[in-house]
Each structure stands twice: as structure tokens, then as C-alpha cells.
Amino acid sequence: MSAAGIKNLGVGLGLRRENVDDLLARFPAELDCLEIAPENYMKTGGKLYRQYRELAERYPVAIHGLSLSVGSLHPLSRKFLKELKVFLKEARALWMSDHLCYSSVLGAQFHDLLPLPLSREAIRHVVPRIRQVQDYLEMPFAIENVSYYASAGKDEMPEWEFLREVAERADCSLLLDVNNIYVNAVNHGFDPYEYLRDLPYERVLHIHVAGHIQYQDFLLDTHGAPVIDPVWDLLRYVAKRARPKAVIIERDHNLPVLEESLAEVATAKRIFAEARAPRTAPRPRPSAGALRAAGGAR
């Protein structure tokens, strides 16, 4: 489904319980948008819901889900999809996103994002399910690349080929998480720029940027640390090629003071501004004769 014509929401933060009071106290102008997980607000009320609604009156909101489990073997939950569609309409959502993974078995949620085998069989399984979600919600649907620490089976292709083929066959959009790419590259020993080289950038609708930690021999995708320079460098590479409608700085725990989060928002904005700035052609070097003539004209 085409995402052409969708409004650009800009650069923002994920809304968390830990930052909601600061955001309401300041309504920072540096922030363009927010991102929420619909599962936290569907069919709810109370203080947190009222706070979300107050912020949504000021900032456009991107909706990013956690529990569709498009890779599971059991049928998609029609009940959940129906409730989600109602919420998306109330939220005036422009698109919906979730992860290219599975997170439940027979309806039991793991509250974790588990990877799919990088196989032709997995592609054949997940593509019609993504199409089903997108058709039912009647809006663009973006799938996010996930971090993982062990393969889910015998891989038949690199992760980036799997992601590209799923997106193209399902005719869906991409939510590109550059930190997940970096974490997987280090943990599994591939070049992150090889991952980025052949992606269908016209499908990149949404971007995530986050931090991670080192744990023994692994990087852990914790969303609990500042964004490091190599991840910013990946974003610079992507910014020259993609035109996303939202860029979100994710921080799920160890949230810093708001000024630090806004500084990361400012960095992401600067990266995209620099990527989109018109390039100035180098001035031609004057000839020796022209230099002599200029010198004699003083």
C-alpha cells in the first residue's frame, strides 16, 4: 500500500510513563511528534490516558505496536485487530507499525520479540498475514527489523534480503531501526553498511534510533543508554537515501533528564537537515592567466 502523500511528522520521542510529566510541564517546541504503543491506551481510561490525550492535542502521534505477532503460526486475533482499528481511528493515525517477528503462541504473549527463520518458508508464511493486517486496518502498515541473539533456524539468506523480500511481496512499508542493525551486525558479524546498501528506501516510512549496552561478548538492545556515534553514522547513511515520515528516539528505561533526550532529537534533526541541504558545486579554480590579470587590476 502506498504511503505517498502522508504528512511528515518530523522527529520525536517515544512517550513513556517516566517522561510524560516533564512533557506536559513544558510542551517543548524542539519536539515535532510523539510515538505511542497502542496496547498501553486501547480500551483504557484514567490519568495516563488523559495525559496521552492532552499531549496528542499538541503533537502528532505515530502508532507503533508490540503484540500483533505477524510471524506467529496461530491466526491473527480478529478481536485485537478490531479494537486496534477503532483506536487508530480515534487517534487519527496516518499509519500503523509493528515488528517483523512473533511474540505469542496460541494467544499467549511472551512480551518479547522473537526472530523468524530467514527462510523462503517464513516469507511465504508472513507475507499474507502482513497483507491481512494492512487490508483490514485500511492504512499503510510498516514492519520493523528486530534485534536477536540467536538464529531461529537454518538461515537461507541474509537478514536484509529477508526484510526486503517480505516488504516487497507484502507491499508494505518499513520501520527501519538503525540501532537494531548495528547490534545485530556486531553480534552476528556482518557489515551494517552491506545491510543498508540495497534496502528499498522508498518503503522506509518510519525510523527508530536507540541505545544499547555491552554485556559480556554481546551487545544488548536495551533502549536504556545514549545513542552512540556508530549508530548516528548509520542514520547519516540512511538520511541521504530515505524520506521517512517520522524519526523517533527510543528510550525505554534509565530515562535521562528531558534536556538530554531533546539533545538527541536535535542531533537527528541536524543529520536530516544536512542530508537534504543542496550541495554547492565547487567553484572552478581560476587559471594562472586570470590570477595574473586580477593581480594587475589592483
Side-chain angles (χ1 to χ4, degrees):
M1 180 180 291
S2 173
I6 287 180
K7 175 184 175 182
N8 188 344
L9 303 189
V11 182
L13 296 173
L15 183 61
R16 304 292 184 265
R17 291 176 184 269
E18 293 83 357
N19 64 14
V20 66
D21 289 333
D22 284 344
L23 291 171
L24 283 168
R26 290 181 48 184
F27 289 107
E30 304 96 316
L31 205 58
D32 296 330
C33 62
L34 295 169
E35 180 189 86
I36 67 163
E39 293 88 346
N40 293 335
Y41 302 98
M42 290 165 55
K43 299 180 66 176
T44 64
K47 179 181 177 181
L48 189 64
Y49 181 81
R50 291 194 300 272
Q51 289 175 320
Y52 146 67
R53 290 302 309 162
E54 186 175 352
L55 286 165
E57 292 299 320
R58 182 71 65 93
Y59 300 106
V61 175
I63 311 294
H64 178 56
L66 302 168
S67 55
L68 270 173
S69 196
V70 294
S72 292
L73 293 176
H74 62 273
L76 293 163
S77 170
R78 299 290 294 183
K79 178 177 181 293
F80 178 78
L81 282 171
K82 183 176 181 180
E83 293 170 355
L84 177 61
K85 188 172 184 177
V86 170
F87 178 81
L88 293 173
K89 185 175 181 180
E90 291 173 351
R92 302 189 297 275
L94 301 177
W95 71 87
M96 172 67 190
S97 64
D98 208 309
H99 304 81
L100 181 57
C101 71
Y102 72 101
S103 56
S104 63
V105 172
L106 298 177
Q109 283 288 339
F110 296 145
H111 302 289
D112 206 348
L113 308 172
L114 303 176
L116 300 176
L118 304 178
S119 67
R120 298 289 174 192
E121 182 181 6
I123 292 172
R124 289 192 296 270
H125 171 69
V126 77
V127 162
R129 291 167 65 88
I130 292 171
R131 285 184 172 273
Q132 181 184 350
V133 170
Q134 187 164 246
D135 290 347
Y136 182 79
L137 296 179
E138 299 180 289
M139 64 175 56
F141 180 63
I143 52 172
E144 180 181 6
N145 56 296
V146 299
S147 58
Y148 61 97
Y149 306 99
S151 295
K154 182 175 175 56
D155 294 340
E156 298 174 4
M157 65 193 77
E159 181 189 341
W160 52 93
E161 289 184 14
F162 181 81
L163 181 66
R164 182 179 66 236
E165 190 157 346
V166 168
E168 290 177 347
R169 289 195 182 193
D171 192 23
C172 67
S173 298
L174 290 175
L175 192 169
L176 195 63
D177 189 313
V178 291
N179 181 63
N180 287 352
I181 292 172
Y182 182 79
V183 167
N184 288 351
V186 172
N187 289 342
H188 302 290
F190 62 78
D191 179 355
Y193 291 95
E194 184 177 1
Y195 190 120
L196 293 174
R197 199 165 292 129
D198 295 321
L199 289 180
Y201 283 101
E202 71 281 2
R203 294 188 181 274
V204 176
L205 180 58
H206 194 153
I207 289 176
H208 278 170
V209 189
H212 57 265
I213 63 169
Q214 179 87 36
Y215 179 75
Q216 297 181 1
D217 295 332
F218 284 88
L219 298 185
L220 294 182
D221 174 34
T222 59
H223 294 182
V227 181
I228 66 170
D229 287 343
V231 174
W232 287 126
D233 289 341
L234 293 181
L235 186 66
R236 287 185 180 90
Y237 185 96
V238 171
K240 294 175 182 177
R241 294 159 176 81
R243 292 293 181 267
K245 302 301 184 181
V247 178
I248 300 296
I249 308 297
E250 292 189 294
R251 194 72 174 258
D252 292 342
H253 62 95
N254 294 332
L255 267 70
V257 295
L258 185 57
E259 285 74 12
E260 292 183 27
S261 293
L262 293 176
E264 292 190 324
V265 167
T267 299
K269 285 187 176 184
R270 186 166 58 251
I271 286 171
F272 275 88
E274 290 170 354
R276 295 173 184 179
R279 295 183 179 180
T280 304
R283 297 177 64 181
R285 185 177 180 180
S287 66
L291 287 172
R292 285 194 296 270
R298 290 179 182 173

